[in-house]
DNA sequence: TCTGGGGTCCTAGGACCC
DNA sequence: TCTGGGGTCCTAGGACCC
């Protein structure tokens, strides 16, 4: 238990200096940096989804909002430039941003593609600058080298640094020292806090807590009675205590890998839904193989038109990242939640309880030869996909999700075990449509 | 924000064990 | 066999983030 005395002593003697760096309209800014002729124009990314995912400030000024339909955007802003999101390219900008940040401190958390934290504590001496000077220098270097601006917040904790970076945007710099906290929080609605979503906001309002200041004014004891751990921690963070540490290790692994797909119109055709799930499974397995992970648990879920999700999961006795190993589990799970006559609008697969491939020792009872063979088969599939596009080789079961132009559309008798090859690769390599049965 | 896709963490409650 | 207490593990579901 942390007593009040201990807490405040900690704050007074050793306040942290946490900077939060947040890219301004990051995706749109990357595009503008690459294509200077777009400067000053309304730029929107998200073409592939049909809705705006990132917008330039000019687009915002013209009334475009995140999530807006592209057709609607064209109406209110006819000269808008609409681009597909190019994550590969944005990742390169992101990488450069974090490299610049690391010049000032090694303690960097890459929180998202367009934002991160830097712990500047202890760097005043070595850099011969105040914390504010360091944070400003960091911002200046990023702005100049990336070709677009970021907004920076400086505060004693992560959640306050987040508030600070959002305080003035774009191209903002805001510092919230411990003494100034109340001033910033008194006008801030609780729903703007990091970690407070619509449900918690509603709950807080029902307790008469409307602003962030209302929240931190409550005694800690009260907060412990009414809220669970994350919001108790948030209360301390907002008081200027450093509670949530920076996660500075590079993310090397995943807790889970999921793939979902929404389709229109909704469908209640079990064969079609199962085909979608098979394709979700193939996608998830591709990612798992790329990261050298195998799943011990698999989750299947279906989303109805009304967003009432149904999900079931199963343990996998033999951890795997091969779709043909897992598809029978998917079929069983699907059958247990699928309801006749119910239109579904999306399916999803989650691979969970992931472990490194190397940690799995094959049981004495299973054929070592078969496992070796599957590794070679999927190594070949992955390289064919790399050469001719994703899903060049796929299970017969996911056939129904592909368009006719791309594939022949024929039904296969055995959807679970046949590996089919896409037309382009077939013609180039002169291989049969049914590559093999496994 | 009438809703896309990919994640993480927390909690309550049940099963099961001494 | 009506009954006490405590621990651990697992699962389902909720909530939130970008």
């Amino acid at each position: 238990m942390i007593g009040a005395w201990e807490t405040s002593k900690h704050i007074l003697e050793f306040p942290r200096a946490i900077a939060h760096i947040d890219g301004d309209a990051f995706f749109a800014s990357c595009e503008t940096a690459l294509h200077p002729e777009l400067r000053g124009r309304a730029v929107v990314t998200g073409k592939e989804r049909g809705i705006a995912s990132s917008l330039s400030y000019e687009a915002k000024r013209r009334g475009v909002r995140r999530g807006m339909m592209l057709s609607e955007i064209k109406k209110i802003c006819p000269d808008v430039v609409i681009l597909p999101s190019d994550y590969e390219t944005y990742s390169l900008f992101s990488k450069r941003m974090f490299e610049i940040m690391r010049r000032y401190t090694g303690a960097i958390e890459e929180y998202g593609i367009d934002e991160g934290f830097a712990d500047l504590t202890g760097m005043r001496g070595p850099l011969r600058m105040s914390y504010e000077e360091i944070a400003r220098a960091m911002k200046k270097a990023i702005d100049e080298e990336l070709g677009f601006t970021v907004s920076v917040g400086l505060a004693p904790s992560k959640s306050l640094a987040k508030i600070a970076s959002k305080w003035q945007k774009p191209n903002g710099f805001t510092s919230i020292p411990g003494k100034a906290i109340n001033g910033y929080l008194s006008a801030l609605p609780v729903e703007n806090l990091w970690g407070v979503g619509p449900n918690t906001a509603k709950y807080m309002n029902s307790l008469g807590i409307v602003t962030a200041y209302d929240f931190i004014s409550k005694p800690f004891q009260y907060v412990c009675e009414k809220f669970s751990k994350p919001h108790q921690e948030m209360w301390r963070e907002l008081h200027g205590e450093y509670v949530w540490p920076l996660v500075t290790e590079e993310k090397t692994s995943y807790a889970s890998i999921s793939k979902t797909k929404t389709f229109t119109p909704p469908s209640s055709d079990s064969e079609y839904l199962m085909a979608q799930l098979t394709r979700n499974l193939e996608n998830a397995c591709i990612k798992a193989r790329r990261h050298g992970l195998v799943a011990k648990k698999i989750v299947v879920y279906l989303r109805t038109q009304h967003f009432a999700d149904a999900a079931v999961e199963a343990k996998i006795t033999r951890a795997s990242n091969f779709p043909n190993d897992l598809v029978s589990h998917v079929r069983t799970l699907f059958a247990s939640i699928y309801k006749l006559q119910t239109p579904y609008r999306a399916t999803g697969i989650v691979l969970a309880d992931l472990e490194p491939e190397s940690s799995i020792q094959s049981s004495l009872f299973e054929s070592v030869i078969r496992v070796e063979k599957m590794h070679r088969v999927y190594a070949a599939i992955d390289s064919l996909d790399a050469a001719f596009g994703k899903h060049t080789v796929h299970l017969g079961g996911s056939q129904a999700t592909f368009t006719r132009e791309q594939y022949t559309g024929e039904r296969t008798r055995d959807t679970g075990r046949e590996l089919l090859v896409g037309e382009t690769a077939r013609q180039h390599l002169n291989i049969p449509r049914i590559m093999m049965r496994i």
Side-chain angles (χ1 to χ4, degrees), chain A residues 334-390:
Chain A
F334 169 69
S336 74
I337 50 171
Y338 169 71
K339 289 195 180 65
L340 278 169
Q341 314 291 347
T342 307
Y344 294 97
R345 57 148 44 211
T347 62
I349 291 284
V350 183
L351 299 180
D353 291 3
L354 300 175
E355 288 188 3
E357 261 168 345
S358 51
S359 74
I360 301 298
Q361 67 275 53
S362 50
S363 103
L364 289 173
F365 302 107
E366 65 181 292
S367 157
V368 176
I369 291 170
R370 183 181 180 277
V371 173
E372 278 302 305
K373 180 180 151 192
M374 285 315 300
H375 271 105
R376 278 188 285 120
V377 166
Y378 270 96
I381 290 174
D382 289 339
S383 62
L384 279 172
D385 283 5
F388 294 100
K390 223 173 173 187

Side-chain angles (χ1 to χ4, degrees), chain A residues 75-308:
Chain A
K75 267 183 240 159
I76 62 170
C77 191
D79 59 325
V80 66
V81 179
I82 296 171
L83 302 164
S85 300
D86 176 7
Y87 289 88
E88 304 283 323
T89 301
Y90 309 151
S91 299
L92 296 178
F93 278 90
S94 180
K95 239 176 115 181
R96 277 164 64 190
M97 183 174 89
F98 293 119
E99 278 166 13
I100 297 166
M101 287 165 67
R102 277 185 230 283
R103 292 178 201 158
Y104 300 85
T105 170
I108 299 291
E109 173 175 345
E110 302 184 10
Y111 183 71
I113 194 169
D114 65 339
E115 61 174 293
F117 295 95
D119 187 348
L120 307 179
T121 313
M123 298 309 292
R124 282 181 299 194
L127 296 175
R128 301 200 156 278
M129 289 191 269
S130 70
Y131 288 136
E132 182 164 334
E133 284 167 347
I134 299 171
R136 283 189 187 275
M138 198 183 264
K139 169 170 162 46
K140 186 160 176 272
I142 295 170
D143 292 350
E144 286 174 3
E145 294 179 41
L146 256 50
F148 57 86
T149 63
V150 295
S151 293
V152 175
L154 180 64
S157 67
K158 281 167 83 173
S159 57
L160 288 170
K162 271 263 212 189
I163 291 167
S165 68
K166 256 204 284 188
W167 199 259
Q168 201 202 327
K169 239 183 173 308
N171 199 15
F173 183 96
T174 305
S175 169
I176 305 183
K179 288 187 173 68
I181 291 173
N182 291 359
Y184 282 91
L185 299 196
S186 58
L188 191 72
V190 286
E191 53 263 40
N192 291 7
L193 292 170
W194 186 34
V196 176
N199 286 291
T200 309
K202 204 185 287 178
Y203 174 62
M204 285 179 166
N205 290 344
S206 79
L207 297 171
I209 299 168
V210 179
T211 68
Y213 180 72
D214 294 339
F215 182 65
I216 64 162
S217 303
K218 296 289 182 192
F220 188 58
Q221 186 59 40
Y222 172 90
V223 172
C224 289
E225 283 161 17
K226 304 279 188 188
F227 297 89
S228 61
K229 193 175 152 192
H231 294 118
Q232 293 168 18
E233 291 173 351
M234 187 180 83
W235 184 92
R236 292 163 59 199
E237 278 263 318
L238 294 173
H239 274 269
E241 193 182 341
Y242 178 75
V243 181
W244 294 328
L246 268 67
V247 181
T248 53
E249 306 86 50
E250 295 215 12
K251 188 183 165 109
T252 52
S253 192
Y254 289 90
S256 66
I257 291 172
S258 66
K259 289 288 170 184
T260 47
K261 184 78 183 165
T262 303
F263 34 85
T264 43
S267 170
S268 53
D269 176 352
S270 66
E271 203 174 322
Y272 179 74
L273 294 169
M274 190 54 214
Q276 289 289 352
L277 280 170
T278 305
R279 189 170 179 183
N280 295 149
L281 177 66
E282 288 178 319
N283 279 325
C285 284
I286 287 168
K287 188 165 178 181
R289 287 199 299 276
R290 197 165 58 223
H291 293 277
L293 297 167
V294 287
K296 290 202 299 184
K297 191 164 93 178
I298 188 163
V299 183
V300 167
Y301 71 87
L302 300 176
R303 171 167 290 169
T304 69
Q305 278 177 302
H306 311 294
F307 290 84

Side-chain angles (χ1 to χ4, degrees), chain A residues 395-397 399 409-416 418 420 433-434:
Chain A
L395 285 174
Q399 172 65 16
E410 72 200 47
R411 290 270 171 184
T412 64
R413 292 168 309 255
D414 181 354
T415 56
E418 284 177 343
L420 308 186
R433 166 140 179 82
I434 297 175

